[in-house]
Amino acid sequence: MAKKSVRKMNYLERMSHSLPSKIFHAIVMFSIVLSLIAVAFGFYLYYHASIKDNSKLAKNVANTTHIVVSEENLFRYIEDVQWIYDSTEENVRKTLSDEYLSLYKHLDTIEFENTKRILHDLQRRNGVDAVYIGIYDKKLERLIYVIDSENGENHRQPGYWESVSASESREYLDRSLDVPYKIENSKRNGYTLRSWDIVSEKDNYLVLTYADVSMAPIIEQGRKFLVQYLLMLLLVTVIMAVVIANHMKKVVINPIQKINDATRAYIADRENPEMALEDHFKNLDIHTGDEIESLALIIADMEREIKKYVANLTKVTSEKEKISTELNVASQIQEGVLPNVFPAFPGRNDFDIYATMNPAKEVGGDFYDYFLIDDDHLALVIADVSGKGIPAALFMMACKLMISNVATLGIEDPSIILNKVNEAICKNNPAEMFVTVWLGIMNLKTGLLKAANAGHEYPCIASKDGKFTMVKDKHGLVIGGMEGLNYKTYELQLKEGDGLFVYTDGVTEATNANDELFGNDRLLEALNKDSKANVTQMLDNVKMAIDTFVQDAPQFDDITMLGFRYLGSNGEMSNMEELTIEATIDNIPTVTEFVDKKLEEHNCPLKTQTQIDIVIDELFSNIANYAYDPETGPATVRVEVDESEPMAVYITFIDGGKPYDPLKQEDPDTTLSAEERSVGGLGIFLVKKTMDDITYEYKDGKNILRIKKHMQG
Amino acid sequence: MEVKVDQKDNLVTLIVEGRVDTTTAPDLEKSIQDNCKEDTNLVLDFTAVEYISSAALRVLLSTTKRLKEKGSMVIKNPNDVVMEIFEVTGFLDILTIER
């Protein structure tokens, strides 16, 4: 991290010094281009001025030539030369040999020399390089020299000719040219400007006076001019560049550098919280009066805003942290109210229980609960509060306490408990929250489970063949939904080793990445993977199946599960006694005597004993009258006393007759008048009313009816 | 169970002792039928009755219905156990009981 920022700083450092050199380079480049254009243009102007001057000079000299030479002499020379040239064979003329040139020898008189001298004088005085008179042969495109001002090696003798192209000769005749001239690279004088004037025209011949000006001095002078011009421009350019660069540095770069430095200091101080309060941009001292000053002011404003924002953010964050801490505490309190020490009842070996809750958020609305109402009755609760977070948690606490409070009052009917809880909650539920509850009360002596369902998921029971199935129990409305509801209790007979699994919708509605639900089938599959597993393993199997199914998808809802396994009542009670006898009315006193003897041994109150005697009369007479009708058969009466407090007696009637569940008989309407009353069902009704518990089971071809009565005065 | 009969004109008093259950209820029924006509004012003295079962209730119900038009039936001094049975079965509203 540190290394990276150092490297970054070096990079910034390099960048921050590139602007002056960039500007300097740009100015120099710009100046060079400008200079080159200026030089090219300057040269062009100079050159043309020189050509114009020199061509005018040459023309004037050419014009003057035939004036300074006496006309008489001039025409004689021209005629002579023309005559000699015409009268000579072309193949001789062509050679330009000394022999040919000697044909013109006689022209070289004193007069001719004088004329030549005059021309030379003209040449010298006017500063041109050559003045001469010639005849132009239109047919053969030749200029034949008549007289030439030059001396020495460049001298052209009369009769000497050179080729002149037709294009040049056309210009001889073009009278429109103000100053006729031609620049050519002549053998005689090198790069030369030539001007002319026509003296006369006859047949195939033109007579012209010429003046040549050598271009060499013009070019030489131009070169000098260019060098000086260029040097001067470069000097001015460099001085300008330095001045502009300096100015830019003062007006633009230095202020930017200041902002740059302040920003860097600001970043460094941000990383060090102690320095974070310093102002970096407030006193930058930038007074350029342009966009840069405006930029500095805007940045200063921005810094102030950021500082304000950071201060606010710090405050909000600390408040948020406080709330988060409180939420954690709430979560701990909530976890604390769910019983979570296992084994939950180390002293008991007649059942096994285990429960877990995995909240989706920090505070959830699911809960489970279990507690012993008395030695024989275990309450099992699983519930799911609507909504999430703190409101759900508060509501959950209220519901949990209410259910356990009502249940521990000694009410053993789940529907009545739910009715009361519903009334209490509906009375004061401004937030209109509700809770689904499954409440079961397990009779640990008999294995009878009484349960009621207020809109909660179906419970799973491991049935006789050991496989878990869903009990499609009758659902009431959710608790808190409506006042005055009557929930229905239903009963399930659990046998030794039977399991029970209840859960919240977080289990069946666990969702994987493809938005598929875990569902009931997968739940049953997980439970039946090892349907005989102990409760801890049972819940682990389900959790594992959910985790495998869901994989990395987020958990939306609390996952709460409660597993229960009934291990049977504490074996047969040691004091159990049994009587098997033929089921006849006559044998009722024998049975009564057998039971009474046992009750007397345990000092049973007389009233209780009387009630039990009536029950024996009712139940045994039923067996005698109906079980084997019209035959008779054996019946077994088993009596056992649970000596733990509160003391209770259990009497079991077993017969092998027709299957008949007396508990299914409807209770008689005790409010009817004598005329309307029938006598049916009174016996079993009496039993239900006077005994504390009664269960029926048909097992292995036998009707098994078991009653329980507390033996208290 | 034992039943003693005390008859004065139309007023018949049956003094019942012991348990009136499935076994003995038919005896009580027979004794009532033997001693009562439709216009009899029947008094059942239950002072010595230990308890009754639903079989006894059946007898009491049918007798009440029979005597309702012209005669009457009164049950005297039933004990707590018997009273409780009358109570839970709704017979308190049907029977005339003197304590």
Side-chain angles (χ1 to χ4, degrees), chain A residues 391-451:
Chain A
L394 286 173
F395 195 71
M396 167 246 158
M397 293 287 258
C399 293
K400 183 186 172 290
L401 288 176
M402 239 181 264
I403 291 170
S404 63
N405 285 350
V406 176
T408 44
L409 285 178
I411 299 169
E412 288 170 7
D413 187 336
S415 63
I416 294 174
I417 298 172
L418 293 188
N419 289 347
K420 283 182 186 294
V421 172
N422 184 46
E423 292 310 301
I425 283 175
C426 283
K427 252 182 215 158
N428 212 341
N429 185 13
E432 298 196 332
M433 298 194 73
F434 59 83
V435 58
T436 69
V437 181
W438 181 90
L439 169 65
I441 292 180
M442 181 73 202
N443 186 326
L444 297 166
K445 271 266 148 44
T446 62
L448 184 78
L449 174 72
K450 290 182 174 180

Side-chain angles (χ1 to χ4, degrees), chain A residues 252-542:
Chain A
V252 179
I253 293 162
N254 284 349
I256 289 178
Q257 191 63 44
K258 275 185 191 167
I259 294 173
N260 202 347
D261 291 344
T263 310
R264 213 174 287 165
Y266 174 78
I267 292 166
D269 287 356
R270 288 291 311 145
E271 286 167 4
N272 178 6
E274 286 167 28
M275 302 290 289
L277 288 173
E278 213 163 290
D279 281 321
H280 295 89
F281 296 97
K282 203 174 170 186
N283 304 312
L284 271 186
D285 194 26
I286 293 174
H287 304 289
T288 56
D290 55 15
E291 288 88 341
I292 293 175
E293 186 175 348
S294 153
L295 175 68
L297 291 174
I298 289 167
I299 293 179
D301 279 353
M302 195 177 77
E303 187 190 27
R304 209 169 39 246
E305 286 301 315
I306 289 176
K307 216 172 277 175
K308 218 189 279 174
Y309 175 74
V310 167
N312 195 26
L313 191 70
T314 313
K315 203 172 125 200
V316 169
T317 309
S318 75
E319 273 169 18
K320 215 176 161 189
E321 262 167 27
K322 199 175 142 201
I323 290 171
S324 167
T325 314
E326 284 176 1
L327 268 178
N328 280 340
V329 176
S331 175
Q332 282 165 12
I333 291 172
Q334 197 195 19
E335 268 170 40
V337 296
L338 300 181
N340 55 4
V341 179
F342 299 101
F345 304 99
R348 308 280 304 215
N349 53 7
D350 48 349
F351 67 91
D352 229 349
I353 195 159
Y354 186 64
T356 58
M357 180 174 90
N358 297 68
K361 275 188 179 183
E362 58 272 28
V363 180
D366 278 12
F367 71 91
Y368 62 82
D369 198 7
Y370 51 80
F371 48 89
L372 281 168
I373 297 170
D374 56 41
D375 273 357
D376 297 337
H377 292 86
L378 176 71
L380 303 168
V381 187
I382 188 137
D384 185 359
V385 171
S386 61
K388 292 261 167 290
I390 294 289
L394 286 173
F395 195 71
M396 167 246 158
M397 293 287 258
C399 293
K400 183 186 172 290
L401 288 176
M402 239 181 264
I403 291 170
S404 63
N405 285 350
V406 176
T408 44
L409 285 178
I411 299 169
E412 288 170 7
D413 187 336
S415 63
I416 294 174
I417 298 172
L418 293 188
N419 289 347
K420 283 182 186 294
V421 172
N422 184 46
E423 292 310 301
I425 283 175
C426 283
K427 252 182 215 158
N428 212 341
N429 185 13
E432 298 196 332
M433 298 194 73
F434 59 83
V435 58
T436 69
V437 181
W438 181 90
L439 169 65
I441 292 180
M442 181 73 202
N443 186 326
L444 297 166
K445 271 266 148 44
T446 62
L448 184 78
L449 174 72
K450 290 182 174 180
N453 192 333
H456 198 80
E457 270 65 28
Y458 295 124
C460 298
I461 298 264
S463 59
K464 203 172 176 182
D465 62 359
K467 291 284 171 201
F468 276 93
T469 52
M470 265 185 194
V471 179
K472 306 273 174 170
D473 56 1
K474 199 177 170 192
H475 278 45
L477 196 68
V478 292
I479 282 184
M482 201 171 88
E483 232 172 312
L485 293 172
N486 277 315
Y487 293 98
K488 295 274 182 296
T489 295
Y490 62 93
E491 294 177 352
L492 293 166
Q493 181 64 49
L494 296 193
K495 292 174 290 298
E496 198 178 308
D498 282 358
L500 167 73
F501 177 83
V502 285
Y503 52 94
T504 58
D505 58 4
V507 172
T508 45
E509 288 171 15
T511 310
N512 70 5
N514 299 332
D515 269 349
E516 290 169 319
L517 298 183
F518 185 64
N520 293 347
D521 294 343
R522 287 195 187 82
L523 171 60
L524 287 174
E525 196 185 308
L527 286 169
N528 287 326
K529 194 178 150 201
D530 180 7
S531 61
K532 294 284 178 198
N534 66 42
V535 282
T536 319
Q537 190 61 46
M538 186 198 290
L539 265 57
D540 282 352
N541 283 347
V542 175

Side-chain angles (χ1 to χ4, degrees), chain A residues 233-258:
Chain A
L233 270 177
L234 279 177
L235 187 66
V236 170
T237 296
V238 170
I239 292 168
M240 283 266 291
V242 170
V243 167
I244 292 175
N246 270 331
H247 182 69
M248 288 291 281
K249 196 173 172 190
K250 200 172 138 196
V251 172
V252 179
I253 293 162
N254 284 349
I256 289 178
Q257 191 63 44
K258 275 185 191 167

